[in-house]
Amino acid sequence: MEHEVHTFSWVGSGERYLNHPVTCTLNRMVVGRYGGNTAAGADKNEDGVYVLSKPGGDWEFAMLLDAHNTAESAELLIRTINSERGEIIRLLALPVQQAFREMEAFLLAIFQSEAFLSQCRQVTGETACLICVRMENYLWWFSVGDNSLYLLHPELAARGQYALGQRNYYEWIGFVNTFAQSVACYSSGIRELRQGRNIIVMTTDGLLEVGARLLEDPRRLYEAFTGREDLEKCVAEVLTSVHEQRGRDSATVVAWSYENGRAGAMPSD
């Protein structure tokens, strides 16, 4: 079963994409990467992405990383999660109500293990980490730090709902590590997808904190990612805009759409 799953892995310390936004589509998932505008002082890219995608649309697993000081913490997270690829795939074969519960327990066991904490003490810098899984008509997420997650759907937008959770500052995994504290701080949650086309967007802060910060307004972000049927073009356009606004920080986006044929929960009369 493992060989049937598509895998994508990237860290900005390898390919930086300075001055040159790039996008690619991986089995319905769009990954956009941009290292920053060198005219504004950009000279590195410390973001990272790891994606597992089951052909046929059974589920998607995505991890988005935004490191600082160096990309070593992002590299460590990707090595660690990739080494557990087989177990992740096994968990995602479970019934959805069991899979999410066991996935969270599994990740916490990894991040709080002495072996992982010891490796974290050896790296320079730390990273924000956002992990998302779409399974059936549900989205589960696990977040440390200030990466952003949006669930975009017209019914939710009509009620002013766009973001899942919020950006949390001063949380990291790496040399400074929330899981090394007596009480670890992180966020997790589950949302039901609405009937019809749902667009899931994960992004680092480089997309939001540029120029006039227009995409910090979630209504504008909704318009940017729903304005075209071709989601890869939407991602390319927002990253091109970051470059044109002389964005110095790297910006990385993972986005995909899911067509949910099931009616969502509605209140009774």
Side-chain angles (χ1 to χ4, degrees):
M1 185 171 66
E2 283 188 47
H3 68 277
E4 298 175 353
V5 174
H6 295 165
T7 304
F8 174 83
S9 178
W10 164 81
V11 182
S13 53
E15 295 174 282
R16 295 180 293 171
Y17 300 111
L18 298 171
N19 299 322
H20 181 54
V22 298
T23 61
C24 61
T25 298
L26 313 155
N27 192 33
R28 98 162 62 208
M29 304 181 76
V30 178
V31 176
R33 294 164 286 174
Y34 175 60
N37 192 318
T38 56
D43 61 357
K44 59 186 177 181
N45 189 334
E46 296 168 342
D47 290 353
V49 173
Y50 183 81
V51 168
L52 297 173
S53 180
K54 180 74 181 294
D58 290 354
W59 53 260
E60 299 87 31
F61 174 103
M63 178 171 68
L64 179 65
L65 304 164
D66 183 359
H68 66 265
N69 291 336
T70 74
E72 291 178 11
S73 54
E75 294 166 357
L76 172 60
L77 262 293
I78 287 179
R79 285 198 309 272
T80 300
I81 295 301
N82 188 56
S83 71
E84 301 290 350
R85 178 179 181 273
E87 181 63 11
I88 290 170
I89 293 169
R90 187 194 71 79
L91 291 175
L92 294 177
L94 296 172
V96 63
Q97 64 270 27
Q98 184 180 359
F100 290 159
R101 182 175 65 250
E102 295 201 16
M103 181 67 71
E104 183 162 336
F106 175 68
L107 291 173
L108 286 173
I110 292 172
F111 294 150
Q112 293 176 320
S113 70
E114 183 51 42
F116 180 73
L117 293 173
S118 177
Q119 291 180 77
C120 287
R121 290 191 287 269
Q122 305 305 311
V123 302
T124 299
E126 39 277 323
T127 187
C129 174
L130 172 62
I131 297 173
C132 293
V133 176
R134 196 283 309 169
M135 207 176 166
E136 296 184 7
N137 58 320
Y138 296 96
L139 183 68
W140 170 88
W141 75 92
F142 179 98
S143 181
V144 173
D146 63 345
N147 290 334
S148 298
L149 172 64
Y150 300 89
L151 175 59
L152 307 179
H153 187 283
E155 291 179 358
L156 300 177
R159 295 177 177 271
Q161 181 176 328
Y162 307 94
L164 295 180
Q166 68 178 39
R167 300 167 66 192
N168 290 291
Y169 301 98
Y170 310 110
E171 287 179 5
W172 299 281
I173 303 176
F175 186 77
V176 177
N177 193 338
T178 188
F179 294 107
Q181 307 302 314
S182 55
V183 177
C185 296
Y186 61 92
S187 306
S188 65
I190 302 171
R191 286 291 179 273
E192 183 181 21
L193 305 181
R194 303 303 298 164
Q195 188 172 25
R197 187 179 187 231
N198 295 263
I199 298 176
I200 300 155
V201 178
M202 306 166 66
T203 182
T204 61
D205 58 9
L207 183 71
L208 308 177
E209 297 176 356
V210 61
R213 298 190 174 208
L214 297 180
L215 294 187
E216 282 193 326
D217 179 347
R219 291 171 299 178
R220 288 181 178 268
L221 186 138
Y222 174 85
E223 293 167 359
F225 281 92
T226 61
R228 291 176 176 268
E229 188 67 26
D230 188 335
L231 189 55
E232 185 169 353
K233 287 185 178 179
C234 294
V235 174
E237 287 175 357
V238 295
L239 291 179
T240 297
S241 177
V242 173
H243 177 67
E244 291 172 348
Q245 294 178 76
R246 295 169 61 92
R248 186 177 186 275
D249 193 11
S250 53
T252 305
V253 177
V254 180
W256 69 103
S257 65
Y258 177 71
E259 193 73 29
N260 179 25
R262 306 182 188 186
M266 297 291 290
S268 59
D269 293 334

